[in-house]
Amino acid sequence: MDAVVDLRSDTVTRPTAAMRRAMAEAEVGDDVYGEDPTVRALEERVAALLGKEAALFVPSGTMANQLAIRTHTEPGDAIVADARAHVLLYERAAPTAIAGVLPRTIESPRGIFGPEAVRACIPRPPASLPPGLFPPVRLLCLENTHNAGGGSVWPPARFAEVCREARRHGLAVHLDGARLWNAAVARGLPERTWAEHCDSVAVCFSKGLGAPVGSALVGDRAFVDRARRFRGMLGGAMRQAGILAAAALWALDHHRARLAEDHAHARRLAEGLAELPGVTIRPEAVETNILWFEVRPLTAGRFAELAEARGVRVLATGAHTVRCVTHLDVSRSDVERALRVFAAILRGT
Ligand SMILES: *Cc1c(COP(=O)(O)O)cnc(C)c1O
């Protein structure tokens, strides 16, 4: 029996032998005292890549995003994000529980919207109302690539326009760039193309880049200093974290350009799926390594069960909605194998 083809998420990758060697050989120190040279090297590298003054290494993308929200706001403020943003949908209500902010949401088909949507979230109370009724909106959170939006990439011009509109209303802008690496590779543009319009950016090393643990939050020095205090409060200050930072550095050097392969695999998967009975998918909408599709009359749960029994794992995310994500541990032949399994299930063979 071949190994399982795991398409549930790009978080399931395991560190390669070379990455483990880099981890084993990492120079380390106590990072709470600022003495871990490998963590420092990673923070400097990521800050430079994104064109910002400073970066902070953190255990997870969730922590990076939630530190950003807490750092940009005070309890009782409001933030704006699209209704299916990771920060609102998959981070355990942390914006309300930890930052104490009120989310105002934007409905959009693929997580991408225009400046008018931002404008509509800014309260314009009539003069007849007493002052200060509405919480001040302080922050716009954007996501690129957009996970629930199907791995969609923000068109750079639109992104810049939306950020400009946010600033016009006095909002800071945070980018959840867990997969900003994928956006950059998909468009053949540097990560800064998007980062330069933002006050802060969160990036993940443990998604398609294949590191076992870790994310970074970048911004200007004062922002990162304040975020460091909140990181400590949440228990995210780590000691000899250079072992983990070494994996992230290795991933940046060796696994970034190859994300293009994941994108080609996702497109191939989508094209194969589009030919199967009962599947609804638009292959041309698959821009990066994530694809969502609908399956009928089977439920997504049953489809996932049948696929698992044949050695392919997918994520059932709704009654009939399935998500697949390609990554470092999925080869072209794994994609073909997955398509044969899907065909067997849907054609009942
Ligand atoms: C995975 C992900 C995160 C962070 O997730 P963690 O599991 O906490 O590392 C943030 N945003 C997006 C869009 C993601 O896909």
Side-chain angles (χ1 to χ4, degrees), residues 187-313:
R187 287 295 165 103
L189 294 168
E191 288 79 5
R192 294 171 196 217
T193 309
W194 294 274
E196 68 179 346
H197 303 289
C198 304
D199 299 282
S200 59
V201 184
V203 289
C204 280
F205 308 112
S206 59
K207 299 274 165 88
L209 289 190
V213 176
S215 285
L217 178 60
V218 304
D220 68 25
R221 186 90 46 201
F223 170 85
V224 168
D225 285 346
R226 181 165 146 91
R228 191 185 305 279
R229 178 158 72 91
F230 294 124
R231 182 185 72 170
M233 283 187 194
L234 295 182
M238 300 181 284
R239 304 295 180 172
Q240 286 74 34
I243 301 254
L244 302 174
L249 279 166
W250 181 269
L252 284 174
D253 285 334
H254 299 91
H255 297 165
R256 206 138 54 94
R258 65 149 305 285
L259 292 172
E261 287 172 42
D262 297 345
H263 300 171
H265 291 160
R267 182 58 81 94
R268 166 67 193 134
L269 203 50
E271 283 164 358
L273 275 161
E275 289 172 9
L276 297 177
V279 171
T280 308
I281 188 168
R282 283 177 52 231
E284 67 281 7
V286 176
E287 294 179 83
T288 57
N289 69 329
I290 301 180
L291 50 128
W292 298 73
F293 59 93
E294 297 217 341
V295 61
R296 284 173 205 280
L298 281 181
T299 62
R302 184 69 187 138
F303 179 80
E305 239 170 59
L306 292 169
E308 169 115 38
R310 290 167 157 92
V312 177
R313 290 178 151 175

Side-chain angles (χ1 to χ4, degrees), residues 33-276:
Y33 291 91
E35 291 171 4
D36 190 303
T38 311
V39 170
R40 281 192 183 173
L42 174 66
E43 290 175 343
E44 278 165 24
R45 175 88 192 278
V46 175
L49 261 174
L50 298 181
K52 301 285 179 215
E53 280 176 8
L56 191 64
F57 186 50
V58 296
S60 70
T62 297
M63 191 183 284
N65 283 331
Q66 297 306 326
L67 288 180
I69 294 173
R70 179 64 190 91
T71 304
H72 285 299
T73 63
E74 289 301 338
D77 288 343
I79 64 168
V80 174
D82 85 275
R84 290 184 304 154
H86 195 284
V87 294
L88 298 185
L89 216 49
Y90 306 118
E91 299 188 7
R92 293 89 169 171
T96 44
I98 292 174
V101 294
L102 178 77
R104 289 183 175 271
T105 55
I106 292 172
E107 297 291 340
S108 65
R110 291 172 53 78
I112 290 164
F113 44 83
E116 68 292 342
V118 176
R119 212 151 45 232
C121 290
I122 311 296
R124 243 170 258 85
S128 52
L129 291 179
L133 269 190
F134 298 105
V137 183
R138 301 282 189 207
L139 178 68
L140 172 66
C141 294
L142 300 171
E143 189 174 317
N144 190 31
T145 68
H146 199 287
N147 182 343
S152 51
V153 181
W154 269 88
R158 184 143 247 240
F159 189 87
E161 209 186 347
V162 162
C163 293
R164 261 198 307 277
E165 184 67 23
R167 291 200 196 293
R168 206 167 314 178
H169 300 283
L171 276 61
V173 179
H174 171 68
L175 172 59
D176 175 356
R179 296 186 184 82
L180 185 58
W181 319 114
N182 296 78
V185 165
R187 287 295 165 103
L189 294 168
E191 288 79 5
R192 294 171 196 217
T193 309
W194 294 274
E196 68 179 346
H197 303 289
C198 304
D199 299 282
S200 59
V201 184
V203 289
C204 280
F205 308 112
S206 59
K207 299 274 165 88
L209 289 190
V213 176
S215 285
L217 178 60
V218 304
D220 68 25
R221 186 90 46 201
F223 170 85
V224 168
D225 285 346
R226 181 165 146 91
R228 191 185 305 279
R229 178 158 72 91
F230 294 124
R231 182 185 72 170
M233 283 187 194
L234 295 182
M238 300 181 284
R239 304 295 180 172
Q240 286 74 34
I243 301 254
L244 302 174
L249 279 166
W250 181 269
L252 284 174
D253 285 334
H254 299 91
H255 297 165
R256 206 138 54 94
R258 65 149 305 285
L259 292 172
E261 287 172 42
D262 297 345
H263 300 171
H265 291 160
R267 182 58 81 94
R268 166 67 193 134
L269 203 50
E271 283 164 358
L273 275 161
E275 289 172 9
L276 297 177

